[in-house]
Amino acid sequence: MRVLSGIQPSGRLHIGNYFGMMRSMIGWQERSDLFCFVVNLHALTSLTDGKTLAANTLEAARDFMALGLDPERATFWVQGDVAEHCELTWILHNHTSMGLLERSHSYKDKAARRETPHHGLFSYPVLMAADILLYQADLVPVGKDQKQHLEITRDIAGTFNNVYGKVFTLPAAVIDPMLATVPGTDGQKMSKSYGNAIDIFTDKPALKKRVMSIVTDARAVEDVKDPDSCNLFAIYSLFLDGDGGLELRDRYLKPGLKYGEVKKELVEKIWDFFAPYREKREELMSRESYVRDVLAEGAGKARAVASVTMEMVRERTGLKY
Ligand code: ADP
Ligand code: TRP
């Protein structure tokens, strides 16, 4: 079973990335043939500062390793180091209807935030389809926001297979319904680009500031609170087991709960939860050449698989003559 997913190095990693995708990826390495990569080509759609992209790419790779991604078990690389991603993207463009991309929520959303949307944003799902199809992935664990991109990938793969005979495996998205969307401090989806994220690796005063800024309703201390509509409750629950979640719910349903106190507890929870990973991260920070070696070796392993698919694609399409 091949499982594959990627993460953008567009900014610092946050707890939405961790609970929405990274933790499940790290779990998959125990029980599948895991392919995991840092999608720096996709990050070009939003980042135009070269130094920042380069630094973020290395940081995302290192942080993923600090959180438990084991390059001995998984194939772990940087997307832009394997040229086949771009090559397949061009070929797939010719099997992607304009309407399919025009219906993309993510494109509409991103286009609305810019004065002049560029073609990279429009074509983003095709590059993502190439990422997935190149490695014949069976399963792709992602957050709910990526569901439509997987549908687009299947559509493109199906169209291509209809024209040239079966070349690509149709992948399925894996979305944990419990963790579909982690809310940010303002209650919207937590995202690097919305200024509402709680970063995984940050110093304690900064963590405290972020947690204290979580928006809650205006109910008074003596009022009973509603856990199901509370953003703070949703975030806190990520760090609790079943019993812990029930206990917290109980506290919400009794008068006397102070949001400020719950926030202070949450700071400690988050800080302790990531403590072992922080240590590992410190260690990796002092071993940059090791991280670079891991990525170079990973790119070699990825290329070996990608080139088998590309050989078949070139034959079927007539690019091989
Ligand atoms: P961001 O929106 O912060 O730029 P990315 O687009 O790089 O995050 O997402 C990387 C992975 O993390 C994807 O699989 C995405 O679905 C998941 N993810 C991002 N934000 C969240 C969130 N708030 N809740 C759940 N999963 C998320
Ligand atoms: N689009 C994904 C995101 O923003 C990142 C991504 C790129 C990806 N290529 C992928 C995810 C391939 C899974 C598989 O989160």
Side-chain angles (χ1 to χ4, degrees), residues 87-95 156 159-168 309-321:
E87 189 181 0
L88 183 58
T89 300
W90 173 251
I91 296 167
L92 296 181
H93 273 143
N94 302 289
H95 302 278
I156 297 173
T159 306
F160 186 97
N161 285 350
N162 273 339
V163 174
Y164 293 112
K166 185 174 180 299
V167 172
F168 297 123
T309 304
M310 283 314 296
E311 183 63 19
M312 201 167 22
V313 169
R314 281 194 206 101
E315 260 175 33
R316 297 283 179 94
T317 53
L319 289 171
K320 187 171 176 179
Y321 60 94

Side-chain angles (χ1 to χ4, degrees), residues 110-298:
K110 288 174 187 165
R113 288 168 195 272
R114 308 174 66 107
E115 228 168 271
T116 47
H118 55 66
H119 186 259
L121 284 178
F122 190 63
S123 171
Y124 183 108
V126 191
L127 176 58
M128 181 158 163
D131 291 346
I132 297 169
L133 302 177
L134 203 44
Y135 301 97
Q136 310 286 2
D138 301 295
L139 299 179
V140 182
V142 282
K144 192 172 142 208
D145 59 326
Q146 297 295 314
K147 189 166 171 257
Q148 194 186 26
H149 284 155
L150 261 294
E151 286 159 9
I152 295 174
T153 300
R154 289 169 62 90
D155 189 301
I156 297 173
T159 306
F160 186 97
N161 285 350
N162 273 339
V163 174
Y164 293 112
K166 185 174 180 299
V167 172
F168 297 123
T169 304
L170 261 56
V174 185
I175 297 165
D176 183 338
M178 300 297 289
L179 295 172
T181 302
V182 176
T185 52
D186 58 358
Q188 283 192 73
K189 171 192 141 82
M190 185 177 290
S191 173
K192 294 176 200 105
S193 40
Y194 299 167
N196 64 358
I198 299 175
D199 292 344
I200 298 172
F201 295 117
T202 179
D203 57 36
K204 207 163 177 186
L207 174 65
K208 195 165 171 200
K209 208 166 157 204
R210 298 306 295 158
V211 171
M212 288 302 173
S213 76
I214 295 175
V215 176
T216 45
D217 62 27
R219 291 182 206 207
V221 177
E222 60 278 11
D223 290 340
V224 162
K225 317 286 191 302
D226 177 17
D228 297 315
S229 65
C230 181
N231 185 20
L232 174 61
F233 182 84
I235 298 175
Y236 200 151
S237 302
L238 298 169
F239 296 89
L240 298 172
D241 58 15
D243 285 349
L246 288 175
E247 260 171 52
L248 184 63
R249 176 174 290 275
D250 233 35
R251 286 171 62 198
Y252 265 71
L253 299 177
K254 286 189 191 130
L257 178 121
K258 293 185 182 149
Y259 287 131
E261 268 171 20
V262 176
K263 287 181 182 178
K264 278 188 200 144
E265 287 168 34
L266 177 58
V267 171
E268 297 307 319
K269 274 269 180 233
I270 299 177
W271 188 252
D272 293 348
F273 183 91
F274 290 113
Y277 307 120
R278 259 196 312 278
E279 231 170 82
K280 175 83 184 165
R281 181 173 184 259
E282 291 288 316
E283 185 214 315
L284 289 172
M285 277 170 96
S286 63
R287 296 171 69 203
E288 188 183 308
S289 63
Y290 164 70
V291 176
R292 287 183 183 279
D293 288 349
V294 161
L295 295 174
E297 200 178 307

